[in-house]
């Protein structure tokens, strides 16, 4: 099934014409409503009239997460505050989070693209669907929620946490579809096991997994253990949230909702556009967004783009799996974590040297984060109570900044290996 065949199966020529019209309108809109873009374009001696088709996109400036942080909170917002009906936020590197405002029309587009995703996975009005992404500032919960409602299936807003209760709901309400991170899906499988239940006790049939990288092996394991078919769901807050792209029954890459989000692949060093089929950094331009539109947003996600009509009939450009990042962002239990956030917390405390190591692992299918930090000589002591209190203080601070718990290990002075060249601060033992 296809939710919106008019858009999803458009001929390439029609898509090109639509994208060209939308880009021209967007450039005019941001030029007149966002000083940041007007200044950038003026610096480049570029006026909105220079953009005549989507191919002219290469003339436009890029936008980075740093630009969003520098313009915190509402500097890049194009719509007046009276038009903004919702705000989400995504974790920043250090300091300011990224604030994204949505107009009523933005929310309508979002629930449209999410309905496209769910339909492509095979969800219908007859399904009962559990949204197990976090509800709140994170876009996963509410983003998927309104897509399910728009489609007309029954939404169960389970959010995250209390996994046993969740499994009882899956069983008792005969939940057939679920959206969550792939690592949470594995954790669900494990809890199912622990409760003495099997996939035959539940009726899950479709999973929408994303918000973090995952592999074909993880897909097989989740499918096997939960008795469902798992599909990829991709998105990011700065562009919209979940729903930027999705797999279909052919599972040959994820279809990008290209009438709303225009994709490019660039070389992250030279910033040159790369041809389809080459791996590089994914860049998106929001063609229809009103609240906080972005021109050429550098996602830092590395992947390839593919052209060609899919056997499902959709014509949109597809993206391959995310193969890594061009920055050092980690995704731990679905939460974006930058090592620099940990560093800034450590530097705020006199007791520690600026020597630390993050060790990420996956234990019983749940991501774990250990933070090893070196004590300064003057603070290293045999007073166990004092050391425990210090450890707790750091753990609490990290939790409030990162939004996830870390296992803090206080290390003896001089014990963390010093590097000669580029320091290595992260050991990621997860087999992704
Ligand atoms: O993770 C939005 C989302 C929610 C997507 C629910 C899918 C499902 P952010 O917190 O802004 O937004 O994180 C965006 O997460 O740039 C990727 O690095 C990563 N990511 C998201 N989906 C996938 C995926 C949400 N399917 C960042 N595969 C992105 C790999 C993903 N990485």
């Amino acid at each position: 099934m296809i939710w919106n065949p008019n858009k999803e199966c458009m001929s390439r020529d029609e898509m090109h014409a639509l994208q060209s019209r939308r880009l021209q309108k967007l450039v005019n809109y941001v030029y007149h409503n966002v000083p940041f873009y007007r200044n950038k374009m003026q610096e480049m001696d570029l006026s909105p009239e220079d953009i005549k088709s989507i191919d002219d996109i290469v003339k436009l400036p890029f936008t980075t997460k740093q630009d969003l942080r520098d313009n915190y909170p509402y500097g890049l917002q194009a719509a007046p505050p009276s038009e903004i009906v919702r705000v989400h936020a995504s974790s920043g590197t250090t300091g300011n989070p990224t604030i994204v405002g949505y107009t009523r029309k933005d929310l309508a587009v979002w629930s449209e693209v999410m309905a496209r995703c769910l339909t492509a996975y095979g969800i219908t009005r007859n399904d009962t669907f559990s949204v197990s992404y976090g509800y709140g500032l994170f876009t996963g919960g509410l983003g998927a929620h309104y897509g399910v409602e728009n489609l007309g299936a029954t939404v169960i807003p389970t959010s995250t946490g209390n996994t046993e209760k969740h499994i009882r709901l899956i069983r008792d309400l005969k939940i057939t579809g679920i959206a969550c991170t792939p690592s949470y899906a594995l954790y669900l499988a494990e809890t199912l096991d622990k409760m003495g239940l099997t996939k035959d006790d539940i009726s899950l049939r479709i999973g929408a997994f994303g918000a973090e990288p995952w592999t074909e092996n993880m897909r097989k394991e989740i499918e096997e253990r939960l008795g469902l078919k798992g599909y990829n769901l991709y998105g990011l807050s700065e562009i919209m949230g979940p729903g930027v792209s999705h797999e279909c029954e052919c599972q040959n890459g994820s279809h990008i909702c290209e009438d709303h989000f225009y994709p490019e692949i660039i070389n992250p060093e030279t910033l040159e556009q790369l041809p389809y089929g080459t791996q590089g950094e994914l860049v998106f331009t929001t063609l229809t967004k009103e609240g906080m539109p972005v021109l050429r947003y550098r996602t830092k996600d590395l992947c390839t783009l593919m052209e060609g009509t899919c056997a499902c009939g959709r014509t949109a450009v597809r993206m391959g799996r995310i193969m890594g990042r061009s920055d050092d962002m980690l995704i731990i239990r679905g939460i974006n974590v930058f090592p620099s956030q940990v560093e800034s917390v450590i530097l705020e405390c006199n007791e520690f040297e600026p020597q630390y190591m993050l060790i990420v692992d996956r234990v019983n299918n749940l991501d774990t984060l250990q933070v090893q930090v070196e004590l300064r000589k003057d603070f290293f002591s045999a007073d166990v109570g004092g050391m425990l209190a210090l450890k707790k203080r750091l753990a609490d601070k990290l939790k409030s900044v990162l939004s996830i718990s870390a296992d803090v290990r206080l290390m003896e002075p001089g014990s963390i290996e010093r590097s000669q060249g580029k320091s290595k601060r992260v050991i990621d033992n997860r087999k992704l």
Side-chain angles (χ1 to χ4, degrees):
M1 285 285 289
I2 297 182
W3 178 255
N4 188 344
N6 278 342
K7 291 289 182 321
E8 293 176 76
C9 306
M10 236 179 195
S11 76
R12 293 310 295 164
D13 286 348
E14 279 177 301
M15 180 61 83
H16 187 271
L18 179 72
Q19 290 173 330
S20 297
R21 281 199 303 278
R22 289 184 168 175
L23 182 67
Q24 280 176 302
K25 197 170 160 198
L26 169 75
V27 170
N28 258 296
Y29 178 61
V30 296
Y31 191 87
H32 292 107
N33 292 287
V34 186
F36 168 82
Y37 284 119
R38 186 168 52 247
N39 294 340
K40 274 209 162 188
M41 285 177 63
Q42 283 171 349
E43 274 166 26
M44 297 165 86
D45 215 7
L46 198 63
S47 76
E49 294 69 49
D50 295 325
I51 305 302
K52 298 191 170 63
S53 96
I54 192 75
D55 304 324
D56 291 326
I57 199 159
V58 289
K59 298 179 181 165
L60 291 167
F62 288 101
T63 312
T64 62
K65 201 172 184 88
Q66 187 61 41
D67 294 326
L68 304 194
R69 287 177 51 216
D70 292 346
N71 289 281
Y72 174 85
Y74 291 126
L76 292 196
Q77 198 167 284
S82 57
E83 295 301 311
I84 300 294
V85 293
R86 196 192 304 160
V87 164
H88 281 283
S90 118
S91 46
T93 40
T94 43
N96 298 336
T98 306
I99 303 292
V100 187
Y102 299 76
T103 65
R104 202 172 290 285
K105 188 179 149 228
D106 293 337
L107 294 184
V109 169
W110 195 2
S111 64
E112 150 82 19
V113 294
M114 267 311 305
R116 291 185 195 176
C117 302
L118 295 161
T119 306
Y121 305 151
I123 297 290
T124 72
R125 297 167 63 91
N126 298 325
D127 280 289
T128 302
F129 195 95
S130 165
V131 175
S132 305
Y133 288 116
Y135 279 63
L137 287 172
F138 178 53
T139 52
L142 287 167
H145 180 103
Y146 285 101
V148 182
E149 279 195 5
N150 186 21
L151 178 100
T154 308
V155 63
I156 314 288
T158 41
S159 194
T160 47
N162 205 337
T163 309
E164 291 199 6
K165 181 173 162 199
H166 188 185
I167 286 184
R168 281 193 293 275
L169 281 176
I170 291 177
R171 182 192 59 193
D172 300 343
L173 305 186
K174 304 215 168 2
I175 291 177
T176 47
I178 185 166
C180 61
T181 58
S183 48
Y184 186 69
L186 284 173
Y187 184 64
L188 269 178
E190 188 138 297
T191 312
L192 190 73
D193 234 23
K194 270 201 202 121
M195 290 169 73
L197 300 170
T198 73
K199 60 183 176 189
D200 299 328
D201 296 302
I202 55 172
S203 25
L204 282 179
R205 57 180 204 95
I206 289 171
F209 304 125
E212 64 183 11
W214 58 308
T215 56
E216 278 311 314
N217 281 343
M218 276 175 88
R219 166 144 51 201
K220 274 197 208 102
E221 191 173 341
I222 297 169
E223 291 187 339
E224 181 86 356
R225 295 177 69 178
L226 288 178
L228 50 68
K229 199 156 166 46
Y231 293 90
N232 192 34
L233 171 62
Y234 171 86
L236 61 164
S237 349
E238 292 82 357
I239 299 303
M240 188 61 101
V244 172
S245 77
H246 61 84
E247 279 179 332
C248 64
E249 71 264 25
C250 305
Q251 299 196 318
N252 181 17
S254 292
H255 295 272
I256 295 171
C257 295
E258 244 196 300
D259 48 330
H260 297 291
F261 317 116
Y262 183 77
E264 296 172 80
I265 284 284
I266 61 160
N267 176 327
E269 307 293 328
T270 64
L271 305 185
E272 267 164 350
Q273 207 182 51
L274 296 173
Y276 288 162
T278 319
Q279 180 165 308
E281 182 183 326
L282 187 58
V283 168
F284 280 111
T285 298
T286 59
L287 292 177
T288 53
K289 218 159 165 218
E290 294 179 337
M292 197 197 74
V294 282
L295 298 184
R296 309 190 82 197
Y297 182 72
R298 292 187 57 187
T299 65
K300 307 281 172 126
D301 288 327
L302 300 175
C303 72
T304 51
L305 291 177
M306 296 167 252
E307 260 185 317
T309 302
C310 179
C312 72
R314 291 177 182 82
T315 49
V317 167
R318 280 162 287 154
M319 54 186 266
R321 274 190 189 279
I322 304 297
M323 304 305 289
R325 305 251 324 156
S326 61
D327 65 5
D328 57 355
M329 185 178 92
L330 297 159
I331 304 185
I332 305 176
R333 272 176 259 149
I335 311 251
N336 305 345
V337 173
F338 290 89
S340 53
Q341 289 175 292
V342 175
E343 179 168 306
S344 70
V345 171
I346 289 171
L347 291 181
E348 278 169 21
C349 310
N350 292 332
E351 294 91 339
F352 305 118
E353 293 286 351
Q355 298 293 344
Y356 64 93
M357 190 66 104
L358 309 191
I359 297 166
V360 190
D361 217 325
R362 185 160 281 169
V363 180
N364 296 334
N365 294 316
L366 265 191
D367 293 341
T368 58
L369 169 65
Q370 185 184 99
V371 176
Q372 300 183 344
V373 55
E374 213 174 277
L375 281 159
R376 282 190 199 282
K377 270 204 193 87
D378 326 350
F379 291 95
F380 183 64
S381 101
D383 164 21
V384 176
M387 289 293 102
L388 284 177
L390 180 57
K391 181 173 150 153
K392 180 165 184 318
R393 196 144 50 82
L394 179 59
D396 289 347
K397 273 199 178 179
L398 284 172
K399 172 97 200 255
S400 76
V401 171
L402 305 179
S403 312
I404 55 165
S405 309
D407 167 22
V408 171
R409 298 281 164 97
L410 303 184
M411 311 294 283
E412 277 183 41
S415 62
I416 291 184
E417 201 181 304
R418 310 296 194 255
S419 61
Q420 300 289 317
K422 228 168 155 28
S423 60
K424 186 165 167 55
R425 301 282 190 203
V426 179
I427 299 176
D428 195 338
N429 292 322
R430 294 174 296 184
K431 302 270 175 302
L432 279 179

